[in-house]
């Protein structure tokens, strides 16, 4: 399942894995918005791709037509859909109403701003420890030495699973969300590793319930007077690992990549720390990492496009967030942008449940970096590499700075 | 000026609270709450408008 023919016409044959597009998708989107705002391709299983904010948000809201039966940007080949863990989904992200409602409501309190605040001191300590590891050398890969190391440990702590397995967790998640998008064998293997791991964690909690433990609490949760199914708990654990790591790491990495190239923005943030909350929202807007998919439930015409049952529609929040009809000077990062209704965390009923945690991690990771390393620059801009597709962010981003 | 949240629209993005923490808070599920009683103090009116303009669900309702 590889297509490497160069794209001739982006409106009818786009390729979200085209290396140039992965590096910088925004010029293509700008051109499409003016000519063919909902593009189509037969590549990678076929899909539609709206590029305007209003269309992306409308699709997110019309959940009866655009369902979450599949949410990855490429399909698995039909013979691979049912593996050992075929019945385990990733609720609530893979659910539609009515089940979506209780499946989401059950986990929301875990992620409220009040609840996630307790992860702040541990996250800060972790960031300092990571910086201690490289500050004396005057150089670091902001993507892999720093950004990548943070969210995986926060989620592992939240789930009560071994922090020493962080590198394995990261590689499983990349197996699903990066490599696995174009390599179904890797995707299934990674998925099976994740579910197999949580099956044994869950068995352990059933035999030995723990105090103050999320998995134990989920196992004891009830819906309409009945204990929730174990497959639900397994699905939620699966989702927390997959949704919380690549995404947040990509955001932290993109923000550092931006700051490395913008001494003016570093100076503004150092001089006025009150700018941070809006600055973080603006960096989330400008470098939104996540694209999701929907499956069309019944034949429909959307903005003049004939969509058929089973068609895949991409919701590219990165492109929506650069729409000039909603954001003035969308390609410019304006740290105190006045009205920033970005949809980096999606829109409608599936709005990222982890958004308050993600914001906290971004704030701590970026502020701690800037306190310790206020001056830094890209070592070699052309050596920066990007991942794209489902989650966009830098994967190698070497920076240098005065030795500390 | 008065503000309220349209609970049918609010999806808990918490972006209102990011730009105007004096006015907007969060319930146990992360949905927005209003932290003031009665009218918005004049010095916070601009922030209230910013909160409304920042909500991606257009759930912050301003009544002048
Ligand atoms: C910057 C980091 C992040 C970004 C940009 C992001 C983005 C998104 C987006 C766009 C959605 C909507 C999916 C859809 O409409 O189908 C989503 C859903 C979700 N995210 Fe995140 N996410 C981030 C971090 C996190 C973290 C740290 C967690 C914590 C475990 C998390 C957990 C979830 C969950 C549970 C859902 C499903 C909500 C539902 O379907 O009701 N995310 N995320
Ligand atoms: S920004 Fe809008 S959707 Fe989000 S919490 Fe505030 S009112 Fe609700």
């Amino acid at each position: 399942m590889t297509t490497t023919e160069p794209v001739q016409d982006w409106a009818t044959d786009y390729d979200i894995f085209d290396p140039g597009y992965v590096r910088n998708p925004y010029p293509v989107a700008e051109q499409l918005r003016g000519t063919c705002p909902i593009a189509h391709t037969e590549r990678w299983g076929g899909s539609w791709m709206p590029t305007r904010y209003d269309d992306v948000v409308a699709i997110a809201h019309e959940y009866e037509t655009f369902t979450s039966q599949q949410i990855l940007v490429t399909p698995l080949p039909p013979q691979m859909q049912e593996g050992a863990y075929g019945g385990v989904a990733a609720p609530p992200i893979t659910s539609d109403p009515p089940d979506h409602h209780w499946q989401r409501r059950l986990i929301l309190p875990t992620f409220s701003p009040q609840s996630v605040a307790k992860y702040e001191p541990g996250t800060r300590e972790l960031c300092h420890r990571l910086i201690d590891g490289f500050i004396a050398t005057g150089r670091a890969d902001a993507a892999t030495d720093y950004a990548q190391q943070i969210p995986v440990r926060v989620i592992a702590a939240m789930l009560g699973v071994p922090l020493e397995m962080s590198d394995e967790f990261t590689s499983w998640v990349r197996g699903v969300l990066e490599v696995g998008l174009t390599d179904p064998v890797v995707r299934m293997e990674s998925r099976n590793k994740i579910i197999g791991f949580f099956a044994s964690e869950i068995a352990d909690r059933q035999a030995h319930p723990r105090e103050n433990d999320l998995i134990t609490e989920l196992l004891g949760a009830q819906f309409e007077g009945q204990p929730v199914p174990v497959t639900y708990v397994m699905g939620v654990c699966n989702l927390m690992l997959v949704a919380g790591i690549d995404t947040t790491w990509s955001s932290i990495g993109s923000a550092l990549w931006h700051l490395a190239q913008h001494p003016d923005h570093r100076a503004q943030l150092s001089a006025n720390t009150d700018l941070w909350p809006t600055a973080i929202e603006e960096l989330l807007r400008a470098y939104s990492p996540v694209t999701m998919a929907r499956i069309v439930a019944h034949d429909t015409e959307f903005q003049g496009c004939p969509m058929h049952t089973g068609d895949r529609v991409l919701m590219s929040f990165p492109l929506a967030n650069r729409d000039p009809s909603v954001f003035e000077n969308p390609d410019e990062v304006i740290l105190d942008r006045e009205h920033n209704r970005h949809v980096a965390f999606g829109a409608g009923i599936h709005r990222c449940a982890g958004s308050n945690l993600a914001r906290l991690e971004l704030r701590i990771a970026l502020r701690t970096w800037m306190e310790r390393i206020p001056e830094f620059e890209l070592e070699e801009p052309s050596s920066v590499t990007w991942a794209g597709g489902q989650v966009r962010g830098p994967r190698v981003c070497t920076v240098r700075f005065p030795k500390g | 000026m008065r503000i309220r949240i349209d609970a049918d629209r609010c999806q808990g993005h918490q972006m209102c609270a990011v730009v105007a923490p004096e006015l907007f808070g969060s319930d146990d599920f992360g949905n927005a709450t209003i932290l003031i009683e009665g009218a918005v103090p004049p010095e916070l009116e601009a922030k209230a408008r910013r909160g409304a303009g920042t909500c991606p669900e257009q759930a912050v309702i301003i009544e002048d």
Side-chain angles (χ1 to χ4, degrees):
Chain A
M1 210 171 102
T2 46
T3 323
T4 46
E5 284 294 299
V7 175
Q8 306 292 338
D9 179 7
W10 283 87
T12 57
D13 185 34
Y14 64 80
D15 182 358
I16 57 169
F17 298 105
D18 172 273
Y21 183 83
V22 167
R23 253 191 326 274
N24 183 6
Y26 305 111
V28 166
E30 190 184 330
Q31 180 214 325
L32 286 172
R33 259 183 232 111
T35 52
C36 174
I38 301 182
H40 187 267
T41 191
E42 293 296 333
R43 295 182 192 236
W44 308 110
S47 59
W48 301 91
M49 184 170 74
T51 47
R52 290 191 301 217
Y53 179 98
D54 288 348
D55 291 342
V56 172
V57 169
I59 286 165
H61 282 152
E62 288 170 30
Y63 53 78
E64 286 174 350
T65 305
F66 301 101
T67 71
S68 292
Q69 291 161 27
Q70 293 180 34
I71 37 93
L72 293 188
V73 295
T74 56
L76 278 174
Q79 70 276 15
M80 295 187 75
Q81 309 249 330
E82 288 298 317
Y85 301 107
V88 179
I93 213 167
T94 47
S95 308
D96 293 304
D99 283 346
H100 173 264
H101 184 72
W102 71 263
Q103 292 175 343
R104 176 177 170 89
R105 212 168 155 80
L106 214 56
I107 58 167
L108 280 180
T110 311
F111 290 107
S112 70
Q114 307 84 298
S115 300
V116 298
K118 63 171 171 289
Y119 298 104
E120 181 165 336
T123 306
R124 184 172 295 113
E125 203 182 302
L126 166 64
C127 291
H128 277 294
R129 217 170 344 108
L130 293 169
I131 295 171
D132 290 342
F134 53 67
I135 195 164
T137 66
R139 111 188 246 280
D141 182 342
T144 57
D145 296 336
Y146 191 65
Q148 189 189 82
Q149 305 300 323
I150 300 164
V152 62
R153 287 176 174 75
V154 175
I155 290 289
M158 205 169 177
L159 284 166
V161 298
L163 293 180
E164 314 80 73
M165 288 180 66
S166 293
D167 289 345
E168 270 164 290
F169 296 148
T170 301
S171 89
W172 299 346
V173 172
R174 297 183 74 182
V176 175
L177 289 181
E178 290 181 32
V179 190
L181 294 175
T182 53
D183 186 338
V185 173
V186 170
R187 179 147 137 202
M188 283 312 280
E189 277 172 8
S190 307
R191 210 175 112 76
N192 284 339
K193 283 182 190 157
I194 294 172
I195 306 285
F197 169 74
F198 282 118
S200 72
E201 291 293 303
I202 286 171
D204 171 70
R205 302 307 193 282
Q206 286 168 324
H208 315 282
R210 298 186 191 171
E211 296 281 326
N212 294 323
D213 175 66
L214 185 60
I215 298 179
T216 306
E217 281 164 24
L218 285 169
L219 286 168
Q222 299 219 334
F223 167 63
E224 291 185 341
Q226 298 290 321
V228 298
V230 174
T231 46
Y232 166 79
V233 179
M234 214 184 277
V236 167
C237 293
N238 172 26
L239 175 58
M240 282 180 61
L241 200 71
V242 176
I245 295 181
D246 235 34
T247 49
T248 317
W249 152 35
S250 297
S251 259
I252 297 170
S254 300
L256 289 171
W257 172 81
H258 174 89
L259 292 173
Q261 299 169 87
H262 290 270
D264 50 332
H265 287 165
R266 293 200 304 271
Q268 271 176 280
L269 287 164
S270 299
N272 178 8
T273 51
D274 291 345
L275 259 182
W276 275 106
T278 56
I280 284 169
E281 298 305 312
E282 176 66 348
L283 292 163
L284 277 163
R285 179 194 70 80
Y287 305 111
S288 298
V290 176
T291 297
M292 298 298 295
R294 292 291 187 263
I295 301 295
V296 175
H298 51 81
D299 288 5
T300 186
E301 191 175 296
F302 183 79
Q303 299 291 0
C305 297
M307 298 186 177
H308 297 293
T309 310
D311 280 3
R312 185 174 302 264
V313 182
L314 305 185
M315 294 192 297
S316 173
F317 300 113
L319 302 190
N321 282 336
R322 297 278 190 121
D323 184 340
S325 69
V326 179
F327 305 98
E328 230 174 281
N329 299 326
D331 294 331
E332 206 181 308
V333 170
I334 302 169
L335 297 180
D336 60 350
R337 188 178 281 276
E338 173 78 15
H339 288 164
N340 184 1
R341 13 185 215 114
H342 76 77
V343 283
F345 292 116
I349 60 170
H350 289 279
R351 184 271 308 166
C352 177
S355 58
N356 299 306
L357 180 64
R359 277 196 184 103
L360 179 146
E361 292 182 45
L362 265 159
R363 174 165 55 83
I364 305 293
L366 298 179
R367 291 195 63 165
T368 308
W369 177 288
M370 283 283 293
E371 278 161 31
R372 303 274 309 268
I373 309 177
E375 288 309 321
F376 59 109
E377 62 185 4
L378 295 179
E379 186 174 77
E380 173 50 59
S382 65
S383 72
V384 175
T385 65
W386 294 81
Q390 196 94 34
V391 183
R392 179 173 184 274
R395 292 297 173 260
V396 174
C397 182
T398 310
V399 298
R400 63 173 165 232
F401 42 81
K403 291 180 186 170
Chain B
M1 176 195 278
R2 287 175 182 269
I3 47 174
R4 63 184 175 83
I5 301 296
D6 180 341
D8 290 335
R9 283 176 165 259
C10 175
Q11 297 288 356
H13 288 258
Q14 285 296 314
M15 285 157 70
C16 52
V18 167
V19 296
E22 302 88 341
L23 298 173
F24 304 100
S26 163
D27 69 11
D28 287 347
F29 297 91
N31 287 335
T33 54
I34 301 283
L35 300 176
I36 52 161
E37 301 274 346
V40 176
E43 69 278 12
L44 290 177
E45 286 187 359
K47 281 209 163 182
R49 285 191 209 285
R50 192 169 191 186
T54 299
C55 172
E57 309 289 347
Q58 310 199 11
V60 177
I61 314 292
I62 299 218
E63 286 155 357
D64 283 292

